mmCIF file of all heavy atoms in Angstrom:
data_model
loop_
_atom_site.group_PDB
_atom_site.id
_atom_site.type_symbol
_atom_site.label_atom_id
_atom_site.label_comp_id
_atom_site.label_asym_id
_atom_site.label_seq_id
_atom_site.Cartn_x
_atom_site.Cartn_y
_atom_site.Cartn_z
ATOM 1 N N TRP A 1 6.510 -6.537 8.416
ATOM 2 C CA TRP A 1 5.819 -7.743 7.981
ATOM 3 C C TRP A 1 4.545 -8.069 8.754
ATOM 4 O O TRP A 1 3.774 -8.999 8.519
ATOM 5 C CB TRP A 1 6.710 -8.997 7.852
ATOM 6 C CG TRP A 1 7.920 -8.745 7.123
ATOM 7 C CD1 TRP A 1 9.236 -8.677 7.529
ATOM 8 C CD2 TRP A 1 7.979 -8.579 5.676
ATOM 9 N NE1 TRP A 1 10.126 -8.544 6.502
ATOM 10 C CE2 TRP A 1 9.344 -8.401 5.342
ATOM 11 C CE3 TRP A 1 7.019 -8.583 4.636
ATOM 12 C CZ2 TRP A 1 9.750 -8.175 3.967
ATOM 13 C CZ3 TRP A 1 7.414 -8.374 3.348
ATOM 14 C CH2 TRP A 1 8.766 -8.189 3.062
ATOM 15 N N THR A 2 4.231 -7.203 9.697
ATOM 16 C CA THR A 2 3.024 -7.410 10.404
ATOM 17 C C THR A 2 1.842 -6.758 9.882
ATOM 18 O O THR A 2 1.954 -5.791 9.038
ATOM 19 C CB THR A 2 3.107 -6.874 11.906
ATOM 20 O OG1 THR A 2 3.278 -5.433 11.803
ATOM 21 C CG2 THR A 2 4.268 -7.435 12.640
ATOM 22 N N GLU A 3 0.719 -7.225 10.032
ATOM 23 C CA GLU A 3 -0.536 -6.583 9.516
ATOM 24 C C GLU A 3 -0.742 -5.237 9.933
ATOM 25 O O GLU A 3 -1.161 -4.263 9.363
ATOM 26 C CB GLU A 3 -1.750 -7.449 9.780
ATOM 27 C CG GLU A 3 -1.832 -8.716 9.104
ATOM 28 C CD GLU A 3 -3.201 -9.403 9.137
ATOM 29 O OE1 GLU A 3 -4.228 -8.596 9.170
ATOM 30 O OE2 GLU A 3 -3.297 -10.682 9.273
ATOM 31 N N GLU A 4 -0.245 -4.963 11.328
ATOM 32 C CA GLU A 4 -0.346 -3.679 11.820
ATOM 33 C C GLU A 4 0.504 -2.615 11.220
ATOM 34 O O GLU A 4 0.202 -1.524 11.011
ATOM 35 C CB GLU A 4 0.021 -3.720 13.332
ATOM 36 C CG GLU A 4 -1.038 -4.335 14.161
ATOM 37 C CD GLU A 4 -1.115 -5.914 14.051
ATOM 38 O OE1 GLU A 4 -0.139 -6.470 13.492
ATOM 39 O OE2 GLU A 4 -2.201 -6.525 14.424
ATOM 40 N N PHE A 5 1.776 -3.049 10.748
ATOM 41 C CA PHE A 5 2.647 -2.216 9.983
ATOM 42 C C PHE A 5 2.065 -1.741 8.642
ATOM 43 O O PHE A 5 2.067 -0.566 8.331
ATOM 44 C CB PHE A 5 3.998 -2.932 9.687
ATOM 45 C CG PHE A 5 5.078 -2.091 9.100
ATOM 46 C CD1 PHE A 5 6.186 -1.654 9.924
ATOM 47 C CD2 PHE A 5 5.052 -1.758 7.847
ATOM 48 C CE1 PHE A 5 7.231 -0.844 9.369
ATOM 49 C CE2 PHE A 5 6.072 -0.953 7.221
ATOM 50 C CZ PHE A 5 7.059 -0.508 7.976
ATOM 51 N N GLN A 6 1.494 -2.759 7.930
ATOM 52 C CA GLN A 6 0.910 -2.448 6.654
ATOM 53 C C GLN A 6 -0.425 -1.527 6.923
ATOM 54 O O GLN A 6 -0.562 -0.555 6.148
ATOM 55 C CB GLN A 6 0.484 -3.704 6.002
ATOM 56 C CG GLN A 6 -0.183 -3.549 4.558
ATOM 57 C CD GLN A 6 -0.785 -4.812 4.072
ATOM 58 O OE1 GLN A 6 -1.496 -5.486 4.737
ATOM 59 N NE2 GLN A 6 -0.445 -5.137 2.801
ATOM 60 N N GLU A 7 -1.115 -1.797 7.892
ATOM 61 C CA GLU A 7 -2.227 -1.032 8.176
ATOM 62 C C GLU A 7 -1.886 0.531 8.431
ATOM 63 O O GLU A 7 -2.434 1.408 8.061
ATOM 64 C CB GLU A 7 -2.983 -1.626 9.435
ATOM 65 C CG GLU A 7 -4.149 -0.755 9.976
ATOM 66 C CD GLU A 7 -4.738 -1.323 11.222
ATOM 67 O OE1 GLU A 7 -3.910 -1.793 12.092
ATOM 68 O OE2 GLU A 7 -5.994 -1.302 11.353
ATOM 69 N N ASN A 8 -0.719 0.697 9.209
ATOM 70 C CA ASN A 8 -0.276 2.032 9.578
ATOM 71 C C ASN A 8 0.127 2.807 8.383
ATOM 72 O O ASN A 8 -0.061 4.033 8.168
ATOM 73 C CB ASN A 8 0.764 1.867 10.634
ATOM 74 C CG ASN A 8 1.147 3.186 11.256
ATOM 75 O OD1 ASN A 8 0.279 3.912 11.751
ATOM 76 N ND2 ASN A 8 2.475 3.467 11.433
ATOM 77 N N VAL A 9 0.865 2.019 7.510
ATOM 78 C CA VAL A 9 1.228 2.716 6.256
ATOM 79 C C VAL A 9 0.145 3.193 5.424
ATOM 80 O O VAL A 9 0.132 4.352 4.912
ATOM 81 C CB VAL A 9 2.183 1.741 5.360
ATOM 82 C CG1 VAL A 9 2.398 2.216 3.928
ATOM 83 C CG2 VAL A 9 3.470 1.437 6.091
ATOM 84 N N TYR A 10 -0.927 2.431 5.299
ATOM 85 C CA TYR A 10 -2.130 2.867 4.651
ATOM 86 C C TYR A 10 -2.761 3.980 5.274
ATOM 87 O O TYR A 10 -3.235 4.857 4.594
ATOM 88 C CB TYR A 10 -3.091 1.650 4.489
ATOM 89 C CG TYR A 10 -2.911 0.851 3.194
ATOM 90 C CD1 TYR A 10 -1.909 -0.223 2.998
ATOM 91 C CD2 TYR A 10 -3.781 1.087 2.014
ATOM 92 C CE1 TYR A 10 -1.758 -0.783 1.862
ATOM 93 C CE2 TYR A 10 -3.635 0.449 0.856
ATOM 94 C CZ TYR A 10 -2.618 -0.558 0.757
ATOM 95 O OH TYR A 10 -2.446 -1.249 -0.352
ATOM 96 N N ILE A 11 -2.853 3.904 6.550
ATOM 97 C CA ILE A 11 -3.511 5.127 7.282
ATOM 98 C C ILE A 11 -2.958 6.335 6.906
ATOM 99 O O ILE A 11 -3.597 7.350 6.510
ATOM 100 C CB ILE A 11 -3.564 4.830 8.751
ATOM 101 C CG1 ILE A 11 -4.464 3.746 9.210
ATOM 102 C CG2 ILE A 11 -3.949 6.123 9.568
ATOM 103 C CD1 ILE A 11 -4.377 3.214 10.509
ATOM 104 N N HIS A 12 -1.574 6.409 6.827
ATOM 105 C CA HIS A 12 -0.869 7.690 6.701
ATOM 106 C C HIS A 12 -0.765 8.020 5.199
ATOM 107 O O HIS A 12 -0.755 9.233 4.874
ATOM 108 C CB HIS A 12 0.485 7.619 7.387
ATOM 109 C CG HIS A 12 0.334 7.778 8.953
ATOM 110 N ND1 HIS A 12 0.325 6.546 9.697
ATOM 111 C CD2 HIS A 12 0.301 8.709 9.773
ATOM 112 C CE1 HIS A 12 0.252 6.923 10.967
ATOM 113 N NE2 HIS A 12 0.235 8.248 11.053
ATOM 114 N N ASN A 13 -0.647 7.074 4.366
ATOM 115 C CA ASN A 13 -0.703 7.380 3.004
ATOM 116 C C ASN A 13 -1.975 7.869 2.471
ATOM 117 O O ASN A 13 -2.047 8.739 1.565
ATOM 118 C CB ASN A 13 -0.260 6.095 2.156
ATOM 119 C CG ASN A 13 1.240 5.937 1.951
ATOM 120 O OD1 ASN A 13 1.749 6.305 0.872
ATOM 121 N ND2 ASN A 13 1.878 5.394 2.967
ATOM 122 N N LEU A 14 -3.151 7.418 3.037
ATOM 123 C CA LEU A 14 -4.401 7.915 2.598
ATOM 124 C C LEU A 14 -4.656 9.362 3.062
ATOM 125 O O LEU A 14 -5.435 10.123 2.557
ATOM 126 C CB LEU A 14 -5.417 7.092 3.109
ATOM 127 C CG LEU A 14 -5.428 5.563 2.405
ATOM 128 C CD1 LEU A 14 -6.548 4.685 2.990
ATOM 129 C CD2 LEU A 14 -5.662 5.744 0.852
ATOM 130 N N GLU A 15 -3.873 9.694 4.077
ATOM 131 C CA GLU A 15 -3.922 11.114 4.580
ATOM 132 C C GLU A 15 -2.978 11.940 3.549
ATOM 133 O O GLU A 15 -3.381 13.091 3.239
ATOM 134 C CB GLU A 15 -3.315 11.293 5.924
ATOM 135 C CG GLU A 15 -4.243 10.792 7.087
ATOM 136 C CD GLU A 15 -5.574 11.584 7.114
ATOM 137 O OE1 GLU A 15 -5.508 12.876 7.022
ATOM 138 O OE2 GLU A 15 -6.531 11.033 7.149
ATOM 139 N N MET A 16 -1.959 11.252 3.103
ATOM 140 C CA MET A 16 -1.089 12.032 2.135
ATOM 141 C C MET A 16 -1.762 12.280 0.886
ATOM 142 O O MET A 16 -1.602 13.498 0.276
ATOM 143 C CB MET A 16 0.178 11.097 1.848
ATOM 144 C CG MET A 16 1.090 11.705 0.752
ATOM 145 S SD MET A 16 2.291 10.499 0.199
ATOM 146 C CE MET A 16 1.265 9.363 -0.753
ATOM 147 N N VAL A 17 -2.624 11.465 0.297
ATOM 148 C CA VAL A 17 -3.162 11.666 -0.986
ATOM 149 C C VAL A 17 -4.170 12.778 -0.866
ATOM 150 O O VAL A 17 -4.543 13.319 -1.937
ATOM 151 C CB VAL A 17 -3.836 10.290 -1.549
ATOM 152 C CG1 VAL A 17 -2.777 9.229 -1.689
ATOM 153 C CG2 VAL A 17 -5.020 9.870 -0.695
ATOM 154 N N LYS A 18 -4.685 13.145 0.234
ATOM 155 C CA LYS A 18 -5.626 14.258 0.357
ATOM 156 C C LYS A 18 -4.883 15.569 0.062
ATOM 157 O O LYS A 18 -5.527 16.607 -0.229
ATOM 158 C CB LYS A 18 -6.222 14.249 1.754
ATOM 159 C CG LYS A 18 -7.007 13.127 2.007
ATOM 160 C CD LYS A 18 -7.537 13.136 3.469
ATOM 161 C CE LYS A 18 -8.431 11.856 3.873
ATOM 162 N NZ LYS A 18 -8.874 11.901 5.285
ATOM 163 N N ASN A 19 -3.614 15.471 0.086
ATOM 164 C CA ASN A 19 -2.727 16.781 -0.150
ATOM 165 C C ASN A 19 -2.506 16.896 -1.611
ATOM 166 O O ASN A 19 -1.945 17.974 -1.967
ATOM 167 C CB ASN A 19 -1.433 16.634 0.544
ATOM 168 C CG ASN A 19 -1.540 16.508 2.002
ATOM 169 O OD1 ASN A 19 -2.503 16.960 2.571
ATOM 170 N ND2 ASN A 19 -0.517 15.858 2.631
ATOM 171 N N ILE A 20 -2.936 16.055 -2.465
ATOM 172 C CA ILE A 20 -2.712 16.076 -3.904
ATOM 173 C C ILE A 20 -3.952 16.755 -4.564
ATOM 174 O O ILE A 20 -4.976 16.019 -4.806
ATOM 175 C CB ILE A 20 -2.399 14.776 -4.575
ATOM 176 C CG1 ILE A 20 -1.168 14.142 -3.741
ATOM 177 C CG2 ILE A 20 -1.972 14.929 -6.050
ATOM 178 C CD1 ILE A 20 -0.825 12.731 -4.194
ATOM 179 N N SER A 21 -3.971 17.958 -4.912
ATOM 180 C CA SER A 21 -5.138 18.631 -5.445
ATOM 181 C C SER A 21 -5.651 18.078 -6.702
ATOM 182 O O SER A 21 -6.830 18.152 -6.931
ATOM 183 C CB SER A 21 -4.893 20.189 -5.583
ATOM 184 O OG SER A 21 -3.862 20.402 -6.487
ATOM 185 N N ALA A 22 -4.748 17.609 -7.558
ATOM 186 C CA ALA A 22 -5.132 17.036 -8.822
ATOM 187 C C ALA A 22 -5.400 15.520 -8.806
ATOM 188 O O ALA A 22 -5.655 14.945 -9.800
ATOM 189 C CB ALA A 22 -4.119 17.370 -9.937
ATOM 190 N N LEU A 23 -5.376 14.998 -7.694
ATOM 191 C CA LEU A 23 -5.714 13.545 -7.578
ATOM 192 C C LEU A 23 -7.019 13.182 -7.922
ATOM 193 O O LEU A 23 -8.035 13.719 -7.468
ATOM 194 C CB LEU A 23 -5.398 13.054 -6.102
ATOM 195 C CG LEU A 23 -5.368 11.459 -5.967
ATOM 196 C CD1 LEU A 23 -4.108 10.935 -6.400
ATOM 197 C CD2 LEU A 23 -5.715 11.098 -4.592
ATOM 198 N N ARG A 24 -7.173 12.301 -8.933
ATOM 199 C CA ARG A 24 -8.406 11.785 -9.423
ATOM 200 C C ARG A 24 -8.683 10.304 -9.305
ATOM 201 O O ARG A 24 -9.589 9.784 -9.979
ATOM 202 C CB ARG A 24 -8.716 12.307 -10.826
ATOM 203 C CG ARG A 24 -8.819 13.929 -11.013
ATOM 204 C CD ARG A 24 -9.913 14.426 -10.181
ATOM 205 N NE ARG A 24 -9.960 15.912 -10.329
ATOM 206 C CZ ARG A 24 -9.315 16.790 -9.527
ATOM 207 N NH1 ARG A 24 -8.695 16.242 -8.478
ATOM 208 N NH2 ARG A 24 -9.445 18.026 -9.668
ATOM 209 N N GLY A 25 -7.745 9.618 -8.669
ATOM 210 C CA GLY A 25 -7.859 8.242 -8.468
ATOM 211 C C GLY A 25 -6.701 7.591 -7.713
ATOM 212 O O GLY A 25 -5.662 8.119 -7.604
ATOM 213 N N LEU A 26 -6.970 6.375 -7.288
ATOM 214 C CA LEU A 26 -5.974 5.502 -6.622
ATOM 215 C C LEU A 26 -6.084 4.100 -7.096
ATOM 216 O O LEU A 26 -7.163 3.548 -7.439
ATOM 217 C CB LEU A 26 -6.278 5.458 -5.117
ATOM 218 C CG LEU A 26 -6.147 6.695 -4.286
ATOM 219 C CD1 LEU A 26 -6.726 6.394 -2.847
ATOM 220 C CD2 LEU A 26 -4.726 7.208 -4.129
ATOM 221 N N THR A 27 -4.966 3.465 -7.247
ATOM 222 C CA THR A 27 -4.848 1.979 -7.477
ATOM 223 C C THR A 27 -3.757 1.445 -6.601
ATOM 224 O O THR A 27 -2.772 0.974 -7.066
ATOM 225 C CB THR A 27 -4.720 1.626 -8.920
ATOM 226 O OG1 THR A 27 -3.567 2.235 -9.461
ATOM 227 C CG2 THR A 27 -5.885 1.973 -9.793
ATOM 228 N N PRO A 28 -3.926 1.319 -5.295
ATOM 229 C CA PRO A 28 -2.901 0.815 -4.424
ATOM 230 C C PRO A 28 -2.367 -0.630 -4.815
ATOM 231 O O PRO A 28 -3.084 -1.337 -5.450
ATOM 232 C CB PRO A 28 -3.521 0.798 -2.939
ATOM 233 C CG PRO A 28 -4.614 1.849 -3.156
ATOM 234 C CD PRO A 28 -5.122 1.788 -4.549
ATOM 235 N N TRP A 29 -1.176 -0.887 -4.285
ATOM 236 C CA TRP A 29 -0.533 -2.135 -4.644
ATOM 237 C C TRP A 29 -0.632 -3.092 -3.566
ATOM 238 O O TRP A 29 0.110 -2.909 -2.515
ATOM 239 C CB TRP A 29 0.945 -1.837 -5.030
ATOM 240 C CG TRP A 29 1.608 -3.023 -5.813
ATOM 241 C CD1 TRP A 29 2.474 -3.934 -5.253
ATOM 242 C CD2 TRP A 29 1.383 -3.396 -7.068
ATOM 243 N NE1 TRP A 29 2.828 -4.832 -6.171
ATOM 244 C CE2 TRP A 29 2.132 -4.511 -7.338
ATOM 245 C CE3 TRP A 29 0.612 -2.898 -8.169
ATOM 246 C CZ2 TRP A 29 2.265 -5.125 -8.503
ATOM 247 C CZ3 TRP A 29 0.682 -3.496 -9.478
ATOM 248 C CH2 TRP A 29 1.477 -4.668 -9.611
ATOM 249 N N ILE A 30 -1.391 -4.117 -3.568
ATOM 250 C CA ILE A 30 -2.114 -4.730 -4.677
ATOM 251 C C ILE A 30 -3.189 -5.485 -4.011
ATOM 252 O O ILE A 30 -3.206 -5.776 -2.762
ATOM 253 C CB ILE A 30 -1.139 -5.575 -5.528
ATOM 254 C CG1 ILE A 30 -1.802 -6.120 -6.836
ATOM 255 C CG2 ILE A 30 -0.539 -6.698 -4.612
ATOM 256 C CD1 ILE A 30 -0.835 -6.802 -7.737
ATOM 257 N N LEU A 31 -4.139 -5.975 -4.814
ATOM 258 C CA LEU A 31 -5.322 -6.717 -4.240
ATOM 259 C C LEU A 31 -4.921 -7.968 -3.518
ATOM 260 O O LEU A 31 -5.374 -8.209 -2.415
ATOM 261 C CB LEU A 31 -6.334 -7.011 -5.386
ATOM 262 C CG LEU A 31 -7.629 -7.843 -4.968
ATOM 263 C CD1 LEU A 31 -8.432 -7.012 -4.180
ATOM 264 C CD2 LEU A 31 -8.375 -8.322 -6.201
ATOM 265 N N LYS A 32 -4.052 -8.803 -4.085
ATOM 266 C CA LYS A 32 -3.823 -10.151 -3.590
ATOM 267 C C LYS A 32 -2.291 -10.375 -3.635
ATOM 268 O O LYS A 32 -1.533 -9.988 -4.531
ATOM 269 C CB LYS A 32 -4.501 -11.201 -4.357
ATOM 270 C CG LYS A 32 -4.170 -12.555 -4.084
ATOM 271 C CD LYS A 32 -4.689 -13.566 -5.029
ATOM 272 C CE LYS A 32 -4.186 -14.947 -4.969
ATOM 273 N NZ LYS A 32 -2.814 -15.023 -5.429
ATOM 274 N N ASP A 33 -1.697 -11.064 -2.679
ATOM 275 C CA ASP A 33 -0.448 -11.571 -2.743
ATOM 276 C C ASP A 33 -0.068 -12.303 -4.002
ATOM 277 O O ASP A 33 -1.059 -13.142 -4.459
ATOM 278 C CB ASP A 33 -0.040 -12.480 -1.594
ATOM 279 C CG ASP A 33 0.091 -11.712 -0.184
ATOM 280 O OD1 ASP A 33 0.017 -10.448 -0.213
ATOM 281 O OD2 ASP A 33 0.074 -12.355 0.834
ATOM 282 N N PHE A 34 1.059 -12.182 -4.597
ATOM 283 C CA PHE A 34 1.200 -12.831 -5.836
ATOM 284 C C PHE A 34 2.766 -13.351 -5.845
ATOM 285 O O PHE A 34 3.684 -12.767 -5.084
ATOM 286 C CB PHE A 34 1.128 -11.999 -6.981
ATOM 287 C CG PHE A 34 2.035 -10.695 -7.017
ATOM 288 C CD1 PHE A 34 3.123 -10.643 -7.774
ATOM 289 C CD2 PHE A 34 1.634 -9.539 -6.340
ATOM 290 C CE1 PHE A 34 3.964 -9.544 -7.759
ATOM 291 C CE2 PHE A 34 2.390 -8.384 -6.341
ATOM 292 C CZ PHE A 34 3.620 -8.467 -6.994
ATOM 293 N N ARG A 35 3.062 -14.351 -6.668
ATOM 294 C CA ARG A 35 4.325 -15.017 -6.774
ATOM 295 C C ARG A 35 5.404 -14.021 -7.355
ATOM 296 O O ARG A 35 5.146 -13.366 -8.330
ATOM 297 C CB ARG A 35 4.311 -16.296 -7.578
ATOM 298 C CG ARG A 35 3.703 -17.498 -6.825
ATOM 299 C CD ARG A 35 4.673 -17.991 -5.859
ATOM 300 N NE ARG A 35 4.165 -19.200 -5.258
ATOM 301 C CZ ARG A 35 4.886 -19.824 -4.304
ATOM 302 N NH1 ARG A 35 5.822 -19.288 -3.713
ATOM 303 N NH2 ARG A 35 4.292 -20.924 -3.711
ATOM 304 N N SER A 36 6.619 -14.040 -6.775
ATOM 305 C CA SER A 36 7.698 -13.287 -7.346
ATOM 306 C C SER A 36 8.914 -13.892 -6.914
ATOM 307 O O SER A 36 9.312 -14.174 -5.716
ATOM 308 C CB SER A 36 7.627 -11.863 -6.894
ATOM 309 O OG SER A 36 8.822 -11.176 -7.225
ATOM 310 N N PRO A 37 9.886 -14.198 -7.874
ATOM 311 C CA PRO A 37 11.207 -14.781 -7.549
ATOM 312 C C PRO A 37 12.174 -13.829 -6.859
ATOM 313 O O PRO A 37 13.189 -14.142 -6.341
ATOM 314 C CB PRO A 37 11.806 -15.115 -8.890
ATOM 315 C CG PRO A 37 11.009 -14.353 -9.887
ATOM 316 C CD PRO A 37 9.752 -14.069 -9.346
ATOM 317 N N ARG A 38 11.766 -12.439 -6.795
ATOM 318 C CA ARG A 38 12.569 -11.443 -6.164
ATOM 319 C C ARG A 38 12.354 -11.465 -4.606
ATOM 320 O O ARG A 38 12.998 -10.694 -3.917
ATOM 321 C CB ARG A 38 12.151 -10.092 -6.706
ATOM 322 C CG ARG A 38 12.559 -9.784 -8.140
ATOM 323 C CD ARG A 38 11.959 -8.478 -8.584
ATOM 324 N NE ARG A 38 12.482 -7.418 -7.787
ATOM 325 C CZ ARG A 38 13.620 -6.744 -8.123
ATOM 326 N NH1 ARG A 38 14.447 -7.113 -9.111
ATOM 327 N NH2 ARG A 38 14.012 -5.733 -7.266
ATOM 328 N N ARG A 39 11.439 -12.339 -4.143
ATOM 329 C CA ARG A 39 10.956 -12.256 -2.778
ATOM 330 C C ARG A 39 11.204 -13.604 -2.005
ATOM 331 O O ARG A 39 10.415 -14.384 -1.696
ATOM 332 C CB ARG A 39 9.488 -11.874 -2.708
ATOM 333 C CG ARG A 39 9.115 -10.721 -3.561
ATOM 334 C CD ARG A 39 9.646 -9.499 -3.151
ATOM 335 N NE ARG A 39 9.393 -8.316 -4.108
ATOM 336 C CZ ARG A 39 9.656 -7.036 -3.922
ATOM 337 N NH1 ARG A 39 10.229 -6.739 -2.826
ATOM 338 N NH2 ARG A 39 9.374 -6.149 -4.829
ATOM 339 N N PRO A 40 12.521 -13.886 -1.639
ATOM 340 C CA PRO A 40 12.894 -15.134 -1.112
ATOM 341 C C PRO A 40 12.815 -15.327 0.423
ATOM 342 O O PRO A 40 13.150 -16.393 0.897
ATOM 343 C CB PRO A 40 14.294 -15.373 -1.599
ATOM 344 C CG PRO A 40 14.796 -13.953 -1.608
ATOM 345 C CD PRO A 40 13.711 -13.105 -1.984
#
């Protein structure tokens, strides 16, 4: 739940996508926090 945790996940995932030869795009999840009843 820290910003540093999220930042670290992004850093390593963006390294991962470089390994996908057919990758032609990204739409990471998500632009803005949003309401969800699953998240109490």
Side-chain angles (χ1 to χ4, degrees):
W1 306 114
T2 64
E3 290 193 38
E4 288 74 17
F5 188 104
Q6 184 188 44
E7 177 187 39
N8 192 47
V9 168
Y10 265 82
I11 289 170
H12 290 93
N13 270 261
L14 294 177
E15 287 298 314
M16 175 192 72
V17 300
K18 296 176 182 178
N19 301 330
I20 306 174
S21 61
L23 188 78
R24 296 299 180 267
L26 296 170
T27 53
W29 195 257
I30 185 169
L31 179 65
K32 173 192 167 290
D33 289 351
F34 62 95
R35 281 287 187 190
S36 173
R38 295 173 59 87
R39 312 293 173 173

